[in-house]
Amino acid sequence: MERTLAIIKPDGVARGFIGEIIRRLEKEDLSILAVKMIWMTKEQAKGFYRVHAGKPFYESVTDFMSSGPCVAMVLEGKDAINVYRKLMGATNHKEAAKGTIRHDYATNIEKNVVHGSDSPQSAAFEIAYFFNELEIFKS
Ligand code: CMP
Protein backbone atom coordinates (compact mmCIF):
# COMPACT_ATOMS: atom_id res chain seq x y z
CA MET A 1 0.00 0.00 0.00
CA GLU A 2 1.17 3.50 -0.83
CA ARG A 3 -0.02 7.00 0.12
CA THR A 4 -0.08 10.16 -1.94
CA LEU A 5 -1.22 13.75 -1.46
CA ALA A 6 -3.90 15.04 -3.82
CA ILE A 7 -4.95 18.67 -4.08
CA ILE A 8 -7.91 20.17 -5.88
CA LYS A 9 -6.45 23.56 -6.73
CA PRO A 10 -8.21 26.96 -6.40
CA ASP A 11 -9.40 26.82 -10.04
CA GLY A 12 -10.94 23.36 -9.53
CA VAL A 13 -12.70 24.46 -6.34
CA ALA A 14 -13.94 27.78 -7.81
CA ARG A 15 -15.25 26.08 -10.96
CA GLY A 16 -17.21 23.49 -9.00
CA PHE A 17 -15.20 20.34 -9.74
CA ILE A 18 -14.73 19.00 -6.18
CA GLY A 19 -17.46 16.39 -6.52
CA GLU A 20 -16.45 15.31 -10.02
CA ILE A 21 -12.79 14.86 -9.07
CA ILE A 22 -13.61 12.89 -5.92
CA ARG A 23 -16.01 10.74 -7.96
CA ARG A 24 -13.21 9.94 -10.43
CA LEU A 25 -10.70 8.94 -7.77
CA GLU A 26 -13.25 6.85 -5.87
CA LYS A 27 -13.83 4.87 -9.08
CA GLU A 28 -10.14 3.89 -8.96
CA ASP A 29 -8.82 1.72 -6.15
CA LEU A 30 -7.91 4.79 -4.09
CA SER A 31 -9.15 5.23 -0.52
CA ILE A 32 -9.51 8.71 0.97
CA LEU A 33 -7.80 8.64 4.37
CA ALA A 34 -8.09 12.37 5.08
CA VAL A 35 -9.62 15.47 3.51
CA LYS A 36 -9.60 19.17 4.38
CA MET A 37 -10.21 22.53 2.76
CA ILE A 38 -7.41 25.02 3.21
CA TRP A 39 -6.67 28.53 1.92
CA MET A 40 -2.88 28.85 1.93
CA THR A 41 -1.04 32.09 2.53
CA LYS A 42 1.61 33.03 -0.05
CA GLU A 43 4.30 31.89 2.43
CA GLN A 44 2.59 28.52 2.95
CA ALA A 45 2.30 28.03 -0.82
CA LYS A 46 6.01 28.89 -1.21
CA GLY A 47 6.87 26.30 1.43
CA PHE A 48 4.75 23.67 -0.25
CA TYR A 49 6.37 24.25 -3.66
CA ARG A 50 9.90 24.86 -2.32
CA VAL A 51 11.39 22.26 -4.70
CA HIS A 52 10.43 24.69 -7.48
CA ALA A 53 12.06 27.75 -5.83
CA GLY A 54 14.01 29.72 -8.44
CA LYS A 55 12.09 28.34 -11.42
CA PRO A 56 10.42 30.89 -13.71
CA PHE A 57 6.90 29.82 -12.64
CA TYR A 58 7.55 29.79 -8.86
CA GLU A 59 6.16 33.26 -8.05
CA SER A 60 3.17 32.84 -10.30
CA VAL A 61 2.18 29.33 -9.13
CA THR A 62 2.48 30.34 -5.47
CA ASP A 63 0.30 33.43 -6.14
CA PHE A 64 -2.23 31.15 -7.80
CA MET A 65 -2.17 28.50 -5.06
CA SER A 66 -2.78 31.18 -2.41
CA SER A 67 -5.56 32.89 -4.41
CA GLY A 68 -8.39 30.77 -2.97
CA PRO A 69 -9.24 27.58 -1.09
CA CYS A 70 -7.91 24.17 -2.08
CA VAL A 71 -9.10 20.70 -1.08
CA ALA A 72 -6.22 18.55 0.18
CA MET A 73 -6.59 14.78 0.51
CA VAL A 74 -4.51 11.81 1.56
CA LEU A 75 -5.11 8.88 -0.78
CA GLU A 76 -4.04 5.30 -0.23
CA GLY A 77 -3.93 2.32 -2.56
CA LYS A 78 -1.68 -0.06 -4.44
CA ASP A 79 0.72 2.10 -6.50
CA ALA A 80 -1.35 5.13 -5.42
CA ILE A 81 1.17 7.73 -6.66
CA ASN A 82 1.13 6.45 -10.22
CA VAL A 83 -2.58 5.57 -10.26
CA TYR A 84 -3.48 9.12 -9.24
CA ARG A 85 -0.93 10.71 -11.60
CA LYS A 86 -2.46 8.74 -14.46
CA LEU A 87 -5.91 9.98 -13.46
CA MET A 88 -4.62 13.60 -13.43
CA GLY A 89 -2.82 13.53 -16.79
CA ALA A 90 0.30 15.49 -17.78
CA THR A 91 1.09 18.81 -16.07
CA ASN A 92 0.56 20.57 -19.39
CA HIS A 93 -3.08 19.93 -20.26
CA LYS A 94 -2.25 20.09 -23.97
CA GLU A 95 -0.17 16.93 -23.49
CA ALA A 96 -2.63 15.21 -21.14
CA ALA A 97 -4.28 12.01 -22.37
CA LYS A 98 -7.97 12.08 -23.24
CA GLY A 99 -10.25 11.36 -20.30
CA THR A 100 -7.77 12.62 -17.69
CA ILE A 101 -8.77 15.37 -15.25
CA ARG A 102 -6.33 17.89 -16.71
CA HIS A 103 -7.29 17.07 -20.29
CA ASP A 104 -10.94 17.59 -19.44
CA TYR A 105 -10.77 20.64 -17.16
CA ALA A 106 -7.37 22.45 -17.10
CA THR A 107 -7.19 25.83 -18.80
CA ASN A 108 -3.40 26.32 -18.88
CA ILE A 109 -0.16 24.77 -17.58
CA GLU A 110 -0.55 26.60 -14.25
CA LYS A 111 -4.30 26.41 -13.70
CA ASN A 112 -4.28 22.66 -14.07
CA VAL A 113 -7.00 21.86 -11.50
CA VAL A 114 -5.17 19.20 -9.48
CA HIS A 115 -1.85 18.35 -7.88
CA GLY A 116 -0.43 14.94 -6.95
CA SER A 117 2.83 13.88 -5.31
CA ASP A 118 5.45 12.65 -7.79
CA SER A 119 7.46 10.24 -5.57
CA PRO A 120 7.26 8.50 -2.18
CA GLN A 121 9.67 11.14 -0.80
CA SER A 122 7.54 14.06 -1.97
CA ALA A 123 4.37 12.27 -0.78
CA ALA A 124 5.83 11.98 2.73
CA PHE A 125 6.75 15.69 2.77
CA GLU A 126 3.49 16.87 1.20
CA ILE A 127 1.19 14.75 3.42
CA ALA A 128 2.95 16.00 6.55
CA TYR A 129 2.67 19.59 5.24
CA PHE A 130 -1.13 19.46 5.52
CA PHE A 131 -2.00 16.66 7.93
CA ASN A 132 -0.83 15.33 11.26
CA GLU A 133 -1.09 11.61 12.05
CA LEU A 134 -4.27 12.09 14.14
CA GLU A 135 -6.07 13.49 11.09
CA ILE A 136 -5.28 10.50 8.86
CA PHE A 137 -7.72 7.60 9.03
CA LYS A 138 -5.99 4.25 9.65
CA SER A 139 -7.14 1.78 7.03
P1 CMP B 1 1.95 20.76 -10.09
O1 CMP B 1 1.85 19.34 -10.53
O2 CMP B 1 1.15 21.17 -8.89
O3 CMP B 1 3.50 21.14 -9.84
C1 CMP B 1 4.01 22.45 -9.98
C2 CMP B 1 3.01 23.41 -10.57
O4 CMP B 1 3.54 24.59 -11.11
C3 CMP B 1 2.31 22.73 -11.74
O5 CMP B 1 1.47 21.68 -11.30
C4 CMP B 1 1.62 23.92 -12.38
O6 CMP B 1 0.44 24.30 -11.69
C5 CMP B 1 2.65 25.03 -12.18
N1 CMP B 1 3.43 25.33 -13.40
C6 CMP B 1 3.34 26.48 -14.10
N2 CMP B 1 4.18 26.46 -15.13
C7 CMP B 1 4.83 25.29 -15.11
C8 CMP B 1 5.82 24.70 -15.94
N3 CMP B 1 6.33 25.32 -17.01
N4 CMP B 1 6.25 23.46 -15.63
C9 CMP B 1 5.75 22.82 -14.54
N5 CMP B 1 4.80 23.34 -13.72
C10 CMP B 1 4.33 24.57 -14.01
Side-chain angles (χ1 to χ4, degrees):
M1 280 299 179
E2 187 173 66
R3 289 180 180 182
T4 188
L5 183 86
I7 299 179
I8 305 174
K9 297 185 178 187
D11 57 333
V13 173
R15 292 167 65 209
F17 296 145
I18 296 173
E20 173 61 18
I21 291 165
I22 290 179
R23 189 188 69 81
R24 288 185 185 211
L25 63 89
E26 284 188 319
K27 277 169 67 182
E28 300 291 328
D29 253 350
L30 293 169
S31 308
I32 301 173
L33 301 190
V35 55
K36 71 167 65 160
M37 195 168 221
I38 188 158
W39 189 331
M40 285 186 276
T41 63
K42 170 81 173 171
E43 284 311 306
Q44 288 166 339
K46 285 173 87 170
F48 179 73
Y49 276 127
R50 62 182 165 214
V51 291
H52 296 300
K55 293 185 186 165
F57 58 85
Y58 184 58
E59 280 304 317
S60 175
V61 77
T62 52
D63 279 344
F64 164 55
M65 291 298 282
S66 56
S67 69
C70 293
V71 174
M73 291 174 275
V74 179
L75 309 181
E76 185 178 73
K78 189 169 175 295
D79 202 21
I81 293 173
N82 284 327
V83 169
Y84 181 60
R85 287 180 74 76
K86 231 172 151 181
L87 204 62
M88 289 194 298
T91 304
N92 184 347
H93 70 113
K94 290 182 180 158
E95 292 162 11
K98 268 194 178 156
T100 62
I101 294 167
R102 285 167 169 165
H103 172 273
D104 292 350
Y105 301 123
T107 48
N108 64 46
I109 194 167
E110 178 174 279
K111 293 182 178 57
N112 59 358
V113 186
V114 280
H115 168 85
S117 310
D118 64 3
S119 67
Q121 293 72 27
S122 63
F125 166 74
E126 292 179 357
I127 289 169
Y129 202 77
F130 288 106
F131 297 94
N132 67 50
E133 272 305 313
L134 289 176
E135 295 172 310
I136 302 174
F137 174 71
K138 301 288 176 296
S139 55

